[in-house]
Amino acid sequence: PAPNGAKRQSLPAFAMSFMDAREHGSKVGSAGVASAQNSAIDRRERLRRLALETIDLAKDPYFMRNHVGSYECKLCLTVHGNEGNYLAHTQGKRHQQNLARRATRDARDNPSGPALNLLNTRRTIQPRKNVAKIGRPGYRVTKQFCRVSDRRSLLFQVDYPEIEDNLRPRHRFMSAYEQKVEPWDKAYQYLLIAAEPYETVAFKIPNAEVEKRDADDFVAHWEPDKKTFTLQLYFKKNAFNKAFDKGKGNTNVFGAGYGAPPPPGALPVGFAPSAVPPPPP
């Protein structure tokens, strides 16, 4: 019993006795041992303060601020709420491993040069140089018909005698709605072939589906010795007339009768004068 009739006060449930504190490895009156989660939080905070003092974000090629005000790491594809959180991420294991993989890949792709310092090097895009055009290249277009597969094809041969060194002609297809030279006609599409320093040539062809299933169906070949670019394409069977049924063009654009090619030297019935490119200069 307590002296002088005083009541005995019991310790609160959360109080730690001297023996319990000694068993847990902490001093009496101090807090307990920090958990692994608290240690990680404290470590990230120390790294964040250190990064804020030593790293300039203006020189980091992977630092980006998005439209909602958050910060993104373009290397790891992560989103961060503030700059300090991003800097703590750059000191983490994931970001450092991705930097090492990127440096290894660049060293493998460019073995003659030193490995790039990815944190201090910003990739730049070389502006396209303005090249003076020297005119339109000479070309030949041949309409073909395969009686075995019942398919129509076009053969384009473009000559580039003055093409720039180590340059290969490029080609692409363009819909009628992309161009602004002629009225729109969904029955046609355009094949563009370009090579510096010549002007880009566009061939108006039927808007039918082009066959690309086999390697022989679509062939684009550059002959560096003759300076001639050859492209041959096949239209899918029965896709030719279906394309013209949807448009305003004549379904008989290749000549009289779908099963027979046009006579040599004759202009196809459905082709307007603008549908065939002008002769070479």
Side-chain angles (χ1 to χ4, degrees), residues 102-250:
R102 186 67 177 270
T104 302
R105 187 181 65 181
D106 290 344
R108 183 179 65 251
D109 296 342
N110 187 17
S112 59
L116 297 178
N117 187 355
L118 298 179
L119 286 178
N120 299 325
T121 302
R122 183 182 298 271
R123 294 183 178 271
T124 57
I125 300 176
Q126 297 294 335
R128 183 180 182 273
K129 59 182 179 179
N130 295 325
V131 180
K133 303 297 183 179
I134 63 174
R136 186 182 306 167
Y139 56 86
R140 296 172 298 279
V141 181
T142 306
K143 296 180 286 293
Q144 300 172 330
F145 177 77
C146 180
R147 299 185 182 275
V148 177
S149 60
D150 194 20
R151 295 183 304 173
R152 297 188 176 273
S153 66
L154 291 174
L155 175 65
F156 302 91
Q157 296 172 295
V158 187
D159 298 326
Y160 293 102
E162 303 295 334
I163 191 173
E164 293 185 356
D165 296 336
N166 301 324
L167 186 64
R168 178 187 174 94
R170 305 178 305 276
H171 69 277
R172 80 174 184 94
F173 290 93
M174 183 178 69
S175 69
Y177 302 101
E178 295 183 60
Q179 55 88 27
K180 300 180 181 179
V181 178
E182 298 181 347
W184 295 341
D185 190 350
K186 61 182 179 181
Y188 294 96
Q189 60 181 334
Y190 296 85
L191 172 64
L192 275 62
I193 303 178
E196 301 292 352
Y198 290 91
E199 296 179 359
T200 301
V201 292
F203 300 97
K204 188 175 182 179
I205 63 177
N207 190 18
E209 189 174 0
V210 177
E211 187 74 72
K212 293 184 179 181
R213 180 175 52 184
D214 298 330
D216 296 337
D217 293 335
F218 189 87
V219 179
H221 176 69
W222 167 244
E223 183 61 43
D225 296 333
K226 296 181 180 180
K227 302 295 182 64
T228 301
F229 179 74
T230 304
L231 188 146
Q232 184 178 23
L233 58 89
Y234 281 87
F235 296 104
K236 284 189 175 182
K237 184 178 179 181
N238 299 329
F240 188 84
N241 285 344
K242 291 180 181 179
F244 275 84
D245 289 339
K246 300 178 182 179
K248 299 180 181 179
N250 190 347

Side-chain angles (χ1 to χ4, degrees), residues 51-72:
L52 285 173
E53 298 174 358
T54 58
I55 296 180
D56 185 9
L57 291 177
K59 297 181 180 180
D60 189 348
Y62 303 115
F63 176 74
M64 182 185 71
R65 184 171 183 175
N66 56 25
H67 64 285
V68 297
S70 301
Y71 302 93
E72 296 183 10

